[in-house]
Structures are given as C-alpha cells and as structure tokens.
Amino acid sequence: MAELIVAGILVLVVGGCACVFWAARGGPRWARVVAAVTLAVAEAVGRSGRKGVGRSGGSDD
C-alpha cells in the first residue's frame, strides 16, 4: 500500500516537472496552470523544510 502512495506521489512530481518544462516553452493554458501550482507547492515545501534552521556559525565582522 505504501508503495502505491509513493508511486503516486512520484508520478505527480514528474508530471508537474514536465508541465513546468512544457509551460516554459509556451505550452497550453492547462500546462501553465499545472506548472504554477507545481511551483507554488515546491515553494511551500521548501519553506517548511527550512523552518527552525537558523544561521550556523560565523560572525558578521
């Protein structure tokens, strides 16, 4: 069951990346919408992954 969930997520990620690639080259409107959603989700995931991570080491001399 877990394998099906992971496979489904992988298909969505690859499809989203394909739409981003296609939309950047002037694809149809639905591809641009999917690309925008994909980029927004990627941004949200990136931000949530950085929460709680502060600057490490060094001084601002």
Side-chain angles (χ1 to χ4, degrees):
M1 181 65 180
E3 293 87 6
L4 289 175
I5 293 172
V6 171
I9 291 172
L10 183 62
V11 167
L12 289 174
V13 168
V14 171
C17 291
C19 283
V20 169
F21 183 79
W22 192 11
R25 282 144 187 77
R29 182 174 182 203
W30 65 265
R32 291 191 297 267
V33 171
V34 172
V37 170
T38 300
L39 293 173
V41 169
E43 181 77 22
V45 168
R47 285 184 184 173
S48 70
R50 288 184 289 218
K51 278 188 179 176
V53 177
R55 289 185 176 175
S56 60
S59 63
D60 293 335
D61 289 347

